[in-house]
């Protein structure tokens, strides 16, 4: 049995943990370049009756929702 499996991790969690630890071990300027690649951009588009509606930037929508709650 794999060590990550016996520790109770899924492969995705194990892989993400390894990636985080690898990025932390890097020295500058490699760490800064790796941090740039770490961000995720995502847009969501709702479809109604077969037509795409306005696209929503998920990060921006979360920022707006977070500021409205405070």
């Amino acid at each position: 049995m794999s060590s990550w499996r016996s520790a109770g991790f899924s492969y995705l969690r194990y892989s993400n943990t390894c990636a985080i630890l690898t990025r932390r071990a890097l020295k500058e300027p490699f760490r800064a370049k790796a941090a740039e690649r770490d961000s995720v951009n995502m847009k969501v588009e709702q479809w109604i009756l077969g037509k795409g509606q306005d696209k929503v930037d998920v990060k921006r929508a979360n920022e707006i929702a977070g500021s409205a709650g405070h």
Side-chain angles (χ1 to χ4, degrees), residues 33-52:
K33 288 185 178 187
E36 290 173 7
R37 290 190 305 264
D38 191 32
S39 67
V40 175
N41 297 318
M42 188 170 92
K43 294 188 187 253
V44 175
E45 182 176 6
Q46 185 177 14
W47 287 74
I48 299 175
L49 299 174
K51 295 187 180 187

Side-chain angles (χ1 to χ4, degrees), residues 9 11 13 21 24 30 35-36 40 52 56-57 61 69:
F9 284 6
Y11 181 76
R13 185 171 175 191
L21 294 173
R24 286 183 188 168
F30 305 109
E36 290 173 7
V40 175
V56 177
D57 183 0

Side-chain angles (χ1 to χ4, degrees), residues 3-4 8 10 13 15 17-19 21 23 27 35 37-38 40 44 48 52-54 56 59-62 65 67-68:
S3 59
W4 52 268
S10 68
R13 185 171 175 191
S15 176
T17 302
C18 289
L21 294 173
R23 284 191 293 272
K27 295 181 180 178
R37 290 190 305 264
D38 191 32
V40 175
V44 175
I48 299 175
Q53 305 302 308
D54 293 335
V56 177
K59 182 177 179 183
R60 181 71 182 133
N62 286 338
S67 64

